[in-house]
Amino acid sequence: MLPPEDRANIKLIRTLPYKRNVSIRRFVSYIGLSVATLWNILMLRRRPDVIVCMGPVEQMFLVVMYGRIRQVPVIIDVIDPWPDVYVKAFPLRLQWLGKLLLTPYFLMSLLTFAMCDRGTAVSQTYLEWAMRRGRRRDRDSFARYPLGARNEDFKLHETVQSPRSLTCLFAGQFGFSYDIELILSAAKALQDSGENRIRFILCGAGEKQPEIVDAIKTLGNVELHGWLSAKALNAVGNACQVGLCCYRASATQSVPTKVFDYLSMGLHVVNSLAGEAETLLASHGIGSSYKAGDVLSFIECLQGVRRNVELGHAGRAFIRRTFDEHFDSHVIYNRMVDDLVLPLAIQHRRG
């Protein structure tokens, strides 16, 4: 995806790999990444004109401190509300303990957003969260840029026409934020009722994989894959009509990457996230929403999509055009560079 002339200008930083989203190893990995990032910045031949940082709490904090000391403008981009999202991993009755244990991270988060020169976020919800966390009132210093996605290899003309049936794709981590159990419960209810026009394809891996493997032994309408390459996932997407964004009611995501990944394949998105994600999909006519955690609401949503939404080539072409115009990462981040990064860098050089 990157032009050859740009690849030499990219420095990849290695850190400790981890398999479980909730683990001590992940914290160690992030600390290593953060320290290595700062070290690489210090080793640059000259000071940066501007730094854009999207990373874990420790990395953002160290970068902002460097910017303050060396008088380099820093833009902090919020893709997740860290460390708040970590607290969700604790049982509800112990979340107070999680907040207590993570006090240093909350302090680093506060200082990061209090001291950064500019803030950006992937959603309005996260933007307002960042301003509250940093106790900022200068709204002009904060801007929203959706995550978007890039999928140049998807072949819309190869999509499979299935006007009377619905094949639903879930691709991602089988982790605690995702309501995989709801998908399996819906699949069982549909199978028990004799409804064979709705099927599910699950692609990914994670903590919940063993229970998925066990559950699908008796489910003829669920197909399980592991992690797939982009090419293989596009091939699976060709045979689907719907992309599933099934999050738990307690999930902190607002408008996640998964929405745009599905749209890049021309898939109608079925979503459980209230607020911005629901509004975005409805306003563009590219998705439908259900009540998080409610199996009946989920099934009714799928049945409504199957009966009432154009899911053939014309419908998918409309979704893909909407994606290309509004949610292609090239469109979004070229605008971010032109409107924010370059002006700030030029201002720094002149100052």
Side-chain angles (χ1 to χ4, degrees):
M1 291 176 63
L2 289 170
E5 60 270 21
D6 287 341
R7 293 174 187 169
N9 297 322
I10 296 175
K11 172 74 174 180
L12 298 178
I13 299 174
R14 294 179 64 87
T15 188
L16 183 71
Y18 61 89
K19 294 182 178 180
R20 296 177 60 86
N21 278 336
V22 183
S23 64
I24 298 299
R25 190 179 178 93
R26 180 175 181 176
F27 278 89
V28 175
S29 175
Y30 281 0
I31 291 171
L33 172 66
S34 304
V35 172
T37 299
L38 179 61
W39 175 254
N40 277 271
I41 294 174
L42 291 171
M43 291 298 101
L44 293 173
R45 293 183 178 180
R46 66 178 183 84
R47 285 185 300 169
D49 293 311
V50 63
I51 299 175
V52 181
C53 181
M54 177 202 69
V57 180
E58 309 94 313
Q59 186 185 50
M60 295 190 297
F61 173 71
L62 290 177
V63 166
V64 165
M65 289 299 295
Y66 168 87
R68 273 301 176 101
I69 294 170
R70 299 299 298 273
Q71 296 184 333
V72 174
V74 176
I75 302 168
I76 295 295
D77 186 38
V78 183
I79 189 173
D80 268 314
W82 288 312
D84 302 42
V85 68
Y86 298 154
V87 176
K88 298 294 183 180
F90 287 79
L92 189 60
R93 288 183 293 180
L94 294 177
Q95 287 188 359
W96 65 270
L97 177 60
K99 292 179 181 178
L100 181 63
L101 293 173
L102 294 169
T103 296
Y105 288 84
F106 278 94
L107 179 59
M108 284 189 286
S109 177
L110 185 154
L111 293 173
T112 294
F113 293 109
M115 295 191 298
C116 68
D117 294 88
R118 297 286 190 278
T120 60
V122 300
S123 69
Q124 190 65 29
T125 303
Y126 285 3
L127 186 148
E128 292 173 359
W129 169 86
M131 291 188 65
R132 289 195 305 271
R133 177 56 50 84
R135 300 172 184 175
R136 301 284 290 263
R137 297 181 181 273
D138 52 335
R139 183 165 292 275
D140 290 345
S141 297
F142 288 77
R144 179 179 65 88
Y145 296 94
L147 275 168
R150 189 72 178 164
N151 192 348
E152 297 174 332
D153 298 326
F154 185 73
K155 303 298 188 295
L156 190 64
H157 66 275
E158 296 178 1
T159 57
V160 178
Q161 291 263 30
S162 300
R164 302 300 301 170
S165 64
L166 199 68
T167 303
C168 308
L169 171 66
F170 176 90
Q173 280 275 357
F174 301 147
F176 70 90
S177 291
Y178 300 110
D179 202 349
I180 306 297
E181 294 87 348
L182 175 134
I183 299 174
L184 297 174
S185 296
K188 185 177 187 308
L190 289 167
Q191 180 172 275
D192 290 347
S193 69
E195 172 60 83
N196 59 7
R197 291 168 295 184
I198 299 178
R199 299 181 56 80
F200 303 91
I201 298 179
L202 309 180
C203 301
E207 294 93 339
K208 297 180 180 180
Q209 188 163 346
E211 63 186 270
I212 297 173
V213 172
D214 186 59
I216 66 173
K217 291 176 182 177
T218 59
L219 294 175
N221 54 1
V222 180
E223 183 178 331
L224 176 64
H225 297 268
W227 281 115
L228 300 178
S229 67
K231 181 178 180 180
L233 187 59
N234 275 334
V236 171
N238 275 322
C240 301
Q241 296 84 32
V242 164
L244 299 177
C245 282
C246 297
Y247 290 87
R248 293 186 173 279
S250 60
T252 60
Q253 286 83 352
S254 54
V255 188
T257 313
K258 195 178 301 298
V259 169
F260 307 110
D261 288 334
Y262 290 146
L263 295 177
S264 76
M265 292 186 282
L267 299 178
H268 184 91
V269 178
V270 166
N271 155 70
S272 68
L273 296 170
E276 282 187 80
E278 182 177 5
T279 301
L280 180 148
L281 295 169
S283 63
H284 288 280
I286 52 179
S288 305
S289 297
Y290 69 95
K291 184 179 179 181
D294 189 326
V295 176
L296 181 60
S297 175
F298 178 58
I299 292 175
E300 289 177 346
C301 181
L302 293 178
Q303 293 284 24
V305 171
R306 187 186 65 79
R307 290 191 299 263
N308 304 319
V309 177
E310 165 57 55
L311 297 172
H313 284 303
R316 296 187 69 163
F318 169 76
I319 293 173
R320 179 64 201 218
R321 282 197 306 273
T322 304
F323 168 81
D324 289 339
E325 292 174 10
H326 300 284
F327 307 119
D328 186 297
S329 58
H330 279 197
V331 174
I332 294 170
Y333 291 107
N334 282 343
R335 178 164 56 88
M336 181 178 180
V337 169
D338 291 340
D339 295 348
L340 180 61
V341 179
L342 286 180
L344 195 59
I346 292 170
Q347 178 183 338
H348 175 250
R349 281 201 173 189
R350 290 174 176 172

